[in-house]
Amino acid sequence: QVQLVESGGGSVQSGGSQRVSCAVFGYSSSTLCMGWFRQAPGKEREGVAAFCNDGITVYADSVKGRFTISQDNAKNTLYLQMNSLKPEDTAMYYCAADYRRWYLLPKYKYWGQGTQVTVSS
């Protein structure tokens, strides 16, 4: 059973940076496809960034050039570095994992509990 635990959320001012982390338990993160999603109140969950073990990395247009997804295989941890944050980036951020390549589709099998990121103007 794969378990995902996010951390690193918090409050930040517009233009600032934040990094959220996702610790992977139960399997090696390097063998999974992993993604970051976010959901704001009243909105659908949307894909932010993802990569799979086929080497493909994808980003939502809204975050390209500002967010970077990465992983530390030694620590079995996934990261999302967020720069130039905007108030519209405010959301609950979730990491997700699956053995199938869903990329930015919210069809992953395994999900974390989420970590809140709030960007104030």
Side-chain angles (χ1 to χ4, degrees):
Q1 181 74 12
V2 176
Q3 290 186 321
L4 309 174
V5 180
E6 300 99 333
S7 62
S11 297
V12 62
Q13 288 193 329
S14 181
S17 298
Q18 190 85 358
R19 188 179 78 164
V20 291
S21 303
C22 173
V24 182
F25 300 96
Y27 215 87
S28 170
S29 62
S30 64
T31 65
L32 299 168
C33 289
M34 302 205 64
W36 283 101
F37 290 77
R38 66 186 181 187
Q39 188 167 19
K43 294 188 176 182
E44 293 185 353
R45 188 169 296 189
E46 63 170 345
V48 174
F51 65 72
C52 296
N53 53 6
D54 57 3
I56 295 176
T57 302
V58 293
Y59 293 94
D61 288 342
S62 58
V63 306
K64 279 181 183 177
R66 300 189 299 123
F67 289 14
T68 303
I69 187 172
S70 64
Q71 71 174 2
D72 184 331
N73 291 336
K75 296 182 179 180
N76 237 23
T77 300
L78 180 74
Y79 301 101
L80 183 69
Q81 177 67 44
M82 303 180 286
N83 299 326
S84 302
L85 282 162
K86 307 174 182 180
E88 51 264 43
D89 294 318
T90 295
M92 185 73 78
Y93 282 74
Y94 299 89
C95 67
D98 202 324
Y99 300 104
R100 294 168 291 182
R101 298 169 185 168
W102 296 117
Y103 298 109
L104 296 181
L105 294 175
K107 296 185 176 181
Y108 287 68
K109 180 175 183 180
Y110 304 106
W111 292 86
Q113 82 288 350
T115 185
Q116 178 69 35
V117 173
T118 302
V119 184
S120 57
S121 56

